[in-house]
Amino acid sequence: MSNIDTTGVIDSLPYIDRELEYEGMRAQVDRMIELEMAKTKKRDLPQFPSRIELFQEDPLLNFELKRVSKGKASQPIDSARYQLEDPSEEESNNFEAWEKAAHNSQAQLEHQNLRLCNLELLQKFGGNAWRVHNFQLEYMIKQVEGEIAEKKKEIIDLNKERKFEQNDAGEALQRLETKWTELLGQTLQIEMACSTLESELKQLKQHEEQLKQKLGESN
């Protein structure tokens, strides 16, 4: 599988290489990536804390978070404070008991007045506040959709640029591979020619030795 380094980062050429399309090749590549990732030392990013503590400044929420994490049930709402009850017969002559009941009734009355005030405010301003809130949400949705569309366009442009660069790199690799094949063939031809010449030279030397021997015998 071919690799090329154009910007200091080694990048694969998925638009050029077709070896991944062969059966079993992708699984083999995935295994190689997993082995390489296992060898890579993981570094903790300093900008991210190793542990996040929630609701440290809010004791009530912190208590509820711990309760939920331990699986404990929540305490039921105390509805006694919302009931208007007279003092019991034993406390019917107790001034403090009647005073406490009077304070409770005043609190209930104030709570009802507050509810009525909130209902009037909601009836008067709730519709417009809801419309403004919806308008803000629609504006935020349009912003997010615009950012998503922009990112998608950047991804498409990046893929087009990568495909263009990889096609150029593929053509260059093809030319280099063709040239390498030609040079390899020429080298083999030269080696065969050298081997043939060495064999002929050896035969000529043997023939020369034989002639010298015959001349020596004749003399």
Side-chain angles (χ1 to χ4, degrees), residues 167-178:
N167 286 332
D168 287 346
E171 293 177 359
L173 289 172
Q174 187 64 36
R175 290 194 299 269
L176 292 173
E177 187 175 0
T178 302

Side-chain angles (χ1 to χ4, degrees), residues 129-141 143:
W130 182 253
R131 294 186 186 94
V132 172
H133 179 65
N134 288 339
F135 175 78
Q136 292 175 343
L137 290 178
E138 291 176 355
Y139 177 74
M140 293 172 63
I141 290 173
Q143 280 188 322

